[in-house]
């Protein structure tokens, strides 16, 4: 294992989802030697599962729509801890990024006038919350993520991007100057280990929903990039902020798009009551996802859940009629029939709030440059970048709005690519790593490969997921989280001592799964400690013991330091450049 | 015969250990509720780490887990075992016609290179407008049933013509995508695209066997798309069809 090949690139993108392939597209076009390292063939990435659309003020449904209104909604949706410089960039650059996707061939649905179809989504308003519901989510039926991911892959093929498909990145390589100089990775197909050296390394590895037992996320969403950064000693921001999507299919976890409610569907309890009218009288079922998810859990806790065990809620769609469902929500009809055994044309879909999205991640600026914190100040990490769900730029703050994740991917994937291109062309970059640096990054892989006793990956993974589900779910309480933290301490020993029984090289998925479990643990630990520290309720972080938002003490980001395992605070950016900042106010829908 | 037991016959091959592939039998208690074939594989893998297969979204949209289930290609994650159990038995094999890397994992290089060959990207060299290119809903409707392909390879690997000429016959999956761009009102390379498909193999090795339609887990119809391509070719170049020796 000690004499491994070095493969050199200008830029290395870890992850072949939406943000990674948008960044790589920018870089491939620039002529820089770029490679995408993806543990699955790129079109198998989780972006493919996004359904409802990409939210952006392209002024198609409403010719008067304004990106500033989108910005206002996003700031409010984030419960005021999204960085306003980043949100401004997201919303104002968004239209350009969306039109580029259309030019690349993305098969958006259309209005009669030939423009891109837009549907209403939760948390959307006109005129800074004063003009009623907006319809701002651009859609390709209910398969927008699939259409987007395939379009990006196709255009990368066109531009000749290098793909290292079914290669698994294990750890960052860091030199004595604290520069990131690439990663250690191995080919899943034949086990070959290599040092992939690069001037710029982009973590575009997506989320880690698999830390929970019940999630809408793909099996591959194990937070690999974020965990690599944590192990290299770099911080994670806002890790307590996990979005629980209101409508995961009961029992299966598969996502049912918010677009269902955008098209006129609504939630009912066992009495057939449209209960969101009580919780959010104005916008009802199209309130922020955190608000809807909590309302559903309260209905269930108070005995008004549906089904034999009163443990889920119904999403009613049948009143929309077969035509609307077949043309606007065909994928949902298919998923419901397969996983819920109901046909939404005739019956409601059983749903429960399900872990869906990681708002936190590696902190970056709007150019995708990752930073660390030294003495409570931001310091850029030379050579390291991040974009998409793996990063925390932070546009989603304490709660992401539906349709903003796809926009995040393309806007910041694109910005990261552009920045790296400029930086490298103007002579920027990093120096090299020594053999010692490389060996240090090989340690974890070597230990696993040499294990001859220890714990079973599948067992430990279940324990971890149950622990997170039980103690760090939709509602949280200090005393319970303390129990969860104690359990995580025990689990740490097990995760560090996994037994890899199969040592073979050819397509050894058990090796991949063991490393993924270690990644999940690192993300779970950051989540648990951050959640325990934030003594208030804000956005997706709802505490029984601190039910109110506390702007005096907690209008801030949390920064988790993996070395000390301590949480510190970081200021939220209230300095957009083109508009006045939106000050915090009471968040109602 | 097995009562409450379920017998799984699984194709096993590890190139580092096995000279030849073999079928291994696993007997488990019949699951209490109806689960998907992928869930079944996950249960087996918890007992035997060495079993290898691809999976990602587990909901039928990423296309990772195409395999041969009791003789028919399908996606493991959306195939309920109740639909495929025969006399309490399930037989799982890799997709046919492609080299096996290990167990249920096949080498898809040939499949992907056919996809790349059809230039699967929109070609329109005119200056892009500041906003989107307009497309009528009617023109957009023409892409339905085409763009939804997930590249799982269930169709191409069920096609005898593709088994026979995987290097020369483009295969149903890539031809579906070829037609997706031919049908797109925004794409301007129609004649170049047709030209590159006009040889005797690329399209014309399709003999309408229809296995592709039969197995597509997304309910798409590559055979129909191939028919459309053939009639476009026919319109443009009647002579090609006349000289087709296939």
């Amino acid at each position: 294992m000690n004499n491994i090949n070095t493969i050199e690139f200008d830029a290395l993108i870890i992850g072949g989802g939406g943000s990674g392939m948008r960044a790589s597209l920018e870089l491939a076009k620039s002529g820089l030697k770029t490679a995408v390292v993806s543990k699955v063939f790129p079109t198998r990435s989780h972006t493919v599962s996004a359904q409802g659309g990409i939210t952006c003020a392209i002024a198609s449904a409403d010719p008067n729509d304004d990106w500033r209104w989108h910005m206002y909604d996003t700031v409010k949706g984030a419960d005021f801890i999204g960085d306003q410089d980043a949100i401004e960039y997201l919303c104002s650059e968004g239209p350009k990024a969306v039109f580029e996707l259309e030019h690349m061939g993305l098969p958006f649905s259309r209005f009669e006038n030939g423009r891109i179809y837009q549907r209403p989504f939760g948390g959307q308003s006109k005129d800074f919350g004063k003009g009623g519901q907006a319809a701002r989510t651009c859609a390709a039926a209910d398969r927008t993520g699939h259409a987007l991911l395939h379009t990006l892959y196709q255009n990368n093929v066109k531009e000749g991007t290098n793909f290292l498909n079914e290669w698994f990145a294990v750890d960052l390589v860091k030199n004595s100057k604290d520069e990131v100089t690439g990663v250690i990775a191995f080919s899943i197909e034949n086990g070959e280990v290599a040092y992939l050296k690069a001037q710029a390394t982009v973590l575009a590895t997506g989320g880690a929903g698999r830390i929970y037992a019940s999630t809408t996320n793909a099996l591959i969403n194990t937070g690999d990039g974020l965990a690599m950064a944590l192990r290299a000693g770099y911080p994670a921001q806002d890790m307590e902020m996990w979005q629980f999507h209101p409508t995961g299919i009961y029992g299966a976890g598969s996502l049912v798009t918010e677009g269902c409610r955008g098209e006129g569907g609504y939630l009912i309890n066992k009495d057939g009551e449209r209960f969101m009218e009580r919780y959010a009288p104005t916008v009802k079922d199209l309130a922020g996802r955190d608000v809807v998810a909590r309302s559903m859990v309260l209905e269930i806790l108070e005995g008004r859940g549906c089904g034999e065990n009163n443990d889920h809620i119904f999403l009613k769609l049948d009143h929309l009629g077969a035509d609307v469902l077949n043309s606007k929500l065909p994928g949902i009809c298919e998923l419901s029939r397969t996983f819920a055994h109901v046909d939404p044309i005739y019956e409601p879909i059983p749903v429960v709030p399900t872990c869906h999205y990681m708002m936190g991640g590696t902190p970056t600026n709007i150019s995708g440059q990752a930073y660390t914190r030294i003495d409570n100040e931001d310091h850029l990490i030379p050579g390291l970048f991040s974009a998409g769900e793996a990063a925390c730029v932070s546009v989603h703050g304490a709660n992401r709005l539906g349709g903003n994740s796809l926009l995040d991917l393309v806007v910041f994937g694109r910005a990261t690519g552009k920045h790296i291109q400029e930086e490298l062309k103007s002579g920027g970059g990093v120096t090299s790593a020594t053999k010692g640096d490389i060996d240090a990054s090989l340690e974890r892989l070597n230990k696993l490969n040499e294990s001859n006793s220890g714990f079973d990956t599948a067992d430990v993974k279940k324990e971890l997921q149950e622990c997170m589900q039980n103690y760090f779910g939709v509602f949280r309480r200090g005393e319970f989280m303390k129990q969860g933290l104690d359990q995580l301490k025990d689990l740490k020993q097990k995760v560090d001592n996994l037994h890899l029984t199969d040592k073979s090289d050819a397509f050894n998925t058990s090796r991949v799964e063991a490393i993924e479990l270690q990644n999940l643990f690192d993300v779970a630990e950051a989540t648990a400690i951050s959640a325990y520290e934030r003594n208030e309720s804000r956005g997706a972080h709802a505490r029984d013991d601190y039910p109110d938002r506390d702007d005096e003490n907690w209008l801030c980001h949390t920064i988790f330091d993996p070395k000390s395992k301590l949480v510190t605070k970081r200021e939220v950016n209230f300095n957009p450049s083109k508009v006045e900042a939106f000050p915090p106010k009471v968040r109602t829908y | 015969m097995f009562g409450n037991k379920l017998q799984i016959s699984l194709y096993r091959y590890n190139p580092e250990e096995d000279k030849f592939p073999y079928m291994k039998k696993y007997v488990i208690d019949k699951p209490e509720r109806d689960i998907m074939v992928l869930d079944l594989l996950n249960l087996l893998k918890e007992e035997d780490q060495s079993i290898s297969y691809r999976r990602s979204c587990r909901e039928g949209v990423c296309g990772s887990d195409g395999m041969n289930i009791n003789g028919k290609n399908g996606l493991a994650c959306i195939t309920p075992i109740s639909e495929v159990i025969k006399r309490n038995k399930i037989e799982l094999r890799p997709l046919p016609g492609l080299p096996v890397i290990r167990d249920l994992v096949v080498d898809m290089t040939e499949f992907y290179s056919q996809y790349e060959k059809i230039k699967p990207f929109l070609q329109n060299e005119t200056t892009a407008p500041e906003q989107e290119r307009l497309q009528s809903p009617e023109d957009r409707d023409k892409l339905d049933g085409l763009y939804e392909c997930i590249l799982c390879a269930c169709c191409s690997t069920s096609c005898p013509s593709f088994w026979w000429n995987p290097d020369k016959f483009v295969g149903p999956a890539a031809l579906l995508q070829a037609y997706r761009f031919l049908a797109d009102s925004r794409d301007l390379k129609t004649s170049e695209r047709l030209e590159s498909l006009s040889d005797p193999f690329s399209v014309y090795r399709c003999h309408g066997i229809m296995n592709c339609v039969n197995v597509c887990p997304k309910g798409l119809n590559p055979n129909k798309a191939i028919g459309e391509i053939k009639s476009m070719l026919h319109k443009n170049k009647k002579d090609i069809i006349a000289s087709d020796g296939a």
Side-chain angles (χ1 to χ4, degrees), chain A residues 371-430:
Chain A
Y371 58 78
T372 186
R373 297 278 287 177
I374 302 169
D375 297 330
N376 281 326
E377 277 182 24
D378 296 351
H379 286 266
L380 292 177
I381 305 164
L384 189 66
F385 299 79
S386 186
E389 191 171 343
C392 183
V393 51
S394 129
V395 288
H396 309 304
N399 172 62
R400 174 172 72 73
L401 290 188
N404 268 355
S405 58
L406 291 185
L407 189 65
D408 175 6
L409 303 185
V410 292
V411 167
F412 292 105
R414 176 177 178 268
T416 304
K418 282 184 192 297
H419 176 88
I420 292 172
Q421 186 186 328
E422 282 163 25
E423 185 175 312
L424 297 191
K425 290 199 167 166
S426 62
V430 292

Side-chain angles (χ1 to χ4, degrees), chain A residues 201-213:
Chain A
T201 302
V202 183
L203 302 174
T205 46
R210 288 281 152 183
I211 64 170
Y212 288 96

Side-chain angles (χ1 to χ4, degrees), chain A residues 354-369:
Chain A
T354 305
C355 168
H356 183 55
Y357 188 84
M358 175 174 88
M359 269 79 73
T362 299
T364 70
N365 62 19
I366 59 173
S367 302
Q369 294 174 280

Side-chain angles (χ1 to χ4, degrees), chain A residues 278-319:
Chain A
R278 274 188 277 122
Y279 296 95
T282 318
V283 297
K284 306 181 181 91
D285 296 80
L286 288 179
R289 285 179 178 172
D290 54 333
V291 176
V292 179
R294 272 195 297 279
S295 308
M296 292 168 72
V297 172
L298 286 173
E299 287 298 300
I300 292 168
L301 289 176
E302 289 167 12
R304 292 189 293 277
C306 306
E308 247 174 59
N309 301 320
N310 304 113
D311 58 355
H312 56 271
I313 294 292
F314 280 139
L315 172 63
K316 186 173 144 53
L317 296 175
D318 57 301
H319 58 286

